[in-house]
Amino acid sequence: MRTQVAIIGSGPSGLLLGQLLSNAGIDNVILDRVGREYILGRIRAGVLEAGTVQLLQQAGAGARMQAEGLVHDGIDLAFAGRHHRIDLKSLTGSPVTVYGQTELTRDLMDHREATGGRTIYDASDATPHDFDTARPFVTYDKDGTTHRIECDFIAGCDGFHGICRATVQDRGIRNFEKIYPFGWLGILADIPPVHHELIYANSERGFALCSQRSRTRSRYYLQVPLTDTAEAWSDAAFWDELRRRIPADVAERLVTGPSIEKSIAPLRSFVAEPLRFGSLFLVGDAGHIVPPTGAKGLNLAASDVHYLFEGLQGFYGEKSEAGIDAYSGRALARIWKASRFSWSMTTLLHKFPDSGAFGQKIQEAELDYLVHSTAASAALAENYVGLPY
Ligand SMILES: Cc1cc2nc3c(=O)[nH]c(=O)nc-3n(C[C@H](O)[C@H](O)[C@H](O)COP(=O)(O)OP(=O)(O)OC[C@H]3O[C@@H](n4cnc5c(N)ncnc54)[C@H](O)[C@@H]3O)c2cc1C
């Protein structure tokens, strides 16, 4: 088989890139090691920056998000028993949109199928080859046969544990990493959200987040030690602990119900440099991970796609390599700023093992300054809604 761009990974970055390329008349094939339903079973991000919304619309897969996504003009920061609203819209002119990653992925998959895009699911052992020559190719196994795809470029959209970054480990790649000493226990439940916007709560017992996927589906998180397991947390224990970490007036309004998903995600900051190796590009989680506190993971995948799509469009349209040459640098400049923001939100809102009562007071003082200083609120809002591409 021959294509122009072979895309490894059918998550948000692979699907979005594939659709933008197809719309521009650039042939591409997507490979994923698992099947469609498995991918759609993963519960992940839910807050979309305006740039991500715009890209989904540009891809032609934005209709349901437009109809069902919830536009949020603000977020609440809760600490010391109080909560304060950060008015994102009035501070930056831009809101965020709450729409689940599962739904966004489903929309992109459906649109790809409807427009005749090629996706090969259950493709095991996908491997990029010869990407430092003029004739790169990808191999994969399916139904007992090894297949080969000749291509011009390979997009490594295969997530943090994928094969593409692993393949370039001995080619001068630098990995920057910070592991946080806690994780997030998340619950998904078909109950109305406690508040119409998200509440990020700092408390002496640890961080909590009141989030949502729709007006009838809520997502709540608790900071937990990495030694905890989701199975050891009953729903009742989760709701009791959540009530203790959020302000009393919010806890009183909390509607609880049975969880339909419960899992623990470790928190990590990770950036690989560079993101290009010949004709192989690392995109999205394949190249970087942020802790979810700043709601940036999925949005960074989208901005990477934007830069790479522009580069590939320039290559095929104007025969210019300037865009693909600039991809790694442009993407990394934005990635590091989002990594800084995600790290700072994580540091500000979580309880760290060695911070003690002094650390708690410092966090509360910083939060108090943040919500009462227009300049500080504006800086937070500007980063939260997403820095410009
Ligand atoms: C538990 C969890 C919770 C999260 N919560 C949030 C959140 O609240 N907010 C936020 O902004 N972000 C969150 N994120 C991050 C966000 O989900 C990711 O940034 C986003 O999924 C990145 O998209 P991607 O397409 O780059 O990677 P992925 O979504 O990981 O997709 C990669 C795809 O590649 C496939 N693949 C992997 N290896 C291979 C291989 N060898 N061959 C072929 N295919 C392969 C995988 O099956 C997968 O389909 C969360 C992530 C996790 C894991």
Side-chain angles (χ1 to χ4, degrees):
M1 192 192 305
R2 156 119 208 126
T3 188
Q4 289 171 300
V5 184
I7 300 173
I8 304 183
S10 179
S13 50
L15 287 163
L16 190 54
L17 178 65
Q19 197 60 47
L20 293 170
L21 291 172
S22 295
N23 294 353
I26 301 169
D27 192 58
N28 61 91
V29 175
I30 299 181
L31 298 176
D32 204 291
R33 69 173 169 199
V34 296
R36 178 186 155 109
E37 292 315 313
Y38 184 91
I39 295 168
L40 291 176
R42 296 192 286 228
I43 310 296
R44 291 185 172 179
V47 178
L48 309 185
E49 297 174 350
T52 306
V53 167
Q54 200 269 324
L55 274 177
L56 205 64
Q57 282 161 342
Q58 189 184 337
R64 199 161 65 98
M65 173 198 60
Q66 194 76 36
E68 297 176 15
L70 303 175
V71 175
H72 284 193
D73 289 344
I75 55 169
D76 264 32
L77 294 179
F79 58 96
R82 315 185 297 269
H83 53 110
H84 303 259
R85 185 166 185 266
I86 302 284
D87 192 328
L88 303 171
K89 181 81 185 291
S90 74
L91 288 163
T92 67
S94 186
V96 291
T97 299
V98 171
Y99 190 65
Q101 177 170 335
T102 310
E103 303 313 315
L104 175 148
T105 307
R106 187 189 305 280
D107 295 346
L108 284 164
M109 284 177 169
D110 288 350
H111 192 54
R112 186 165 178 86
E113 270 164 40
T115 53
R118 283 182 292 173
T119 303
I120 300 160
Y121 293 115
D122 301 310
S124 58
D125 215 11
T127 312
H129 300 272
D130 290 3
F131 43 84
D132 42 9
T133 75
R135 302 175 75 89
F137 62 99
V138 173
T139 55
Y140 66 95
D141 291 348
K142 185 161 168 106
D143 302 328
T145 309
T146 299
H147 302 264
R148 179 179 167 122
I149 306 178
E150 313 276 347
C151 54
D152 302 328
F153 297 104
I154 302 167
C157 300
D158 51 348
F160 186 65
H161 299 288
I163 183 66
C164 292
R165 194 180 73 256
T167 303
V168 294
Q169 279 312 314
D170 58 353
R171 293 177 188 239
I173 194 169
R174 286 191 72 193
N175 299 322
F176 302 85
E177 184 168 49
K178 178 173 178 60
I179 308 269
Y180 300 87
F182 39 73
W184 278 19
L185 169 66
I187 266 192
L188 191 69
D190 279 329
I191 46 176
V194 69
H195 191 60
H196 67 287
E197 292 170 346
L198 272 59
I199 303 175
Y200 290 81
N202 166 287
S203 94
E204 290 180 13
R205 300 180 67 90
F207 171 74
L209 171 60
C210 305
S211 184
Q212 56 193 260
R213 291 294 179 266
S214 71
R215 290 199 174 83
T216 56
R217 180 166 281 192
S218 299
R219 183 86 166 140
Y220 291 100
Y221 295 97
L222 291 176
Q223 172 188 352
V224 293
L226 285 168
T227 44
D228 280 16
T229 60
E231 299 71 42
W233 277 85
S234 66
D235 287 2
F238 183 96
W239 298 124
D240 282 351
E241 184 59 28
L242 180 63
R243 279 195 196 91
R244 291 190 185 105
R245 295 190 189 187
I246 56 182
D249 64 310
V250 182
E252 268 170 35
R253 297 200 308 270
L254 182 70
V255 178
T256 63
S259 62
I260 51 176
E261 196 264 356
K262 199 189 291 169
S263 55
I264 294 182
L267 266 64
R268 183 198 304 264
S269 295
F270 174 90
V271 182
E273 290 189 356
L275 297 174
R276 179 187 180 186
F277 297 84
S279 49
L280 170 67
F281 300 91
L282 301 180
V283 184
D285 277 18
H288 43 83
I289 294 279
V290 284
T293 327
K296 290 285 165 254
L298 174 59
N299 292 301
L300 277 182
S303 58
D304 287 1
V305 165
H306 164 80
Y307 296 127
L308 183 56
F309 170 62
E310 274 196 354
L312 292 169
Q313 215 182 10
F315 178 85
Y316 288 110
E318 295 133 36
K319 311 283 176 239
S320 164
E321 297 196 13
I324 55 173
D325 287 346
Y327 167 71
S328 182
R330 291 178 78 196
L332 281 165
R334 194 170 189 279
I335 290 161
W336 274 115
K337 291 188 191 86
S339 297
R340 184 210 66 80
F341 177 65
S342 304
W343 163 83
S344 75
M345 287 283 279
T346 304
T347 306
L348 177 64
L349 291 167
H350 289 74
K351 185 178 174 65
F352 283 72
D354 56 354
S355 55
F358 179 81
Q360 178 65 29
K361 284 290 184 189
I362 291 291
Q363 285 179 333
E364 289 173 11
E366 186 169 348
L367 283 159
D368 197 51
Y369 168 67
L370 247 179
V371 299
H372 289 110
S373 154
T374 308
S377 295
L380 184 146
E382 192 179 30
N383 282 278
Y384 192 84
V385 303
L387 296 175
Y389 286 5

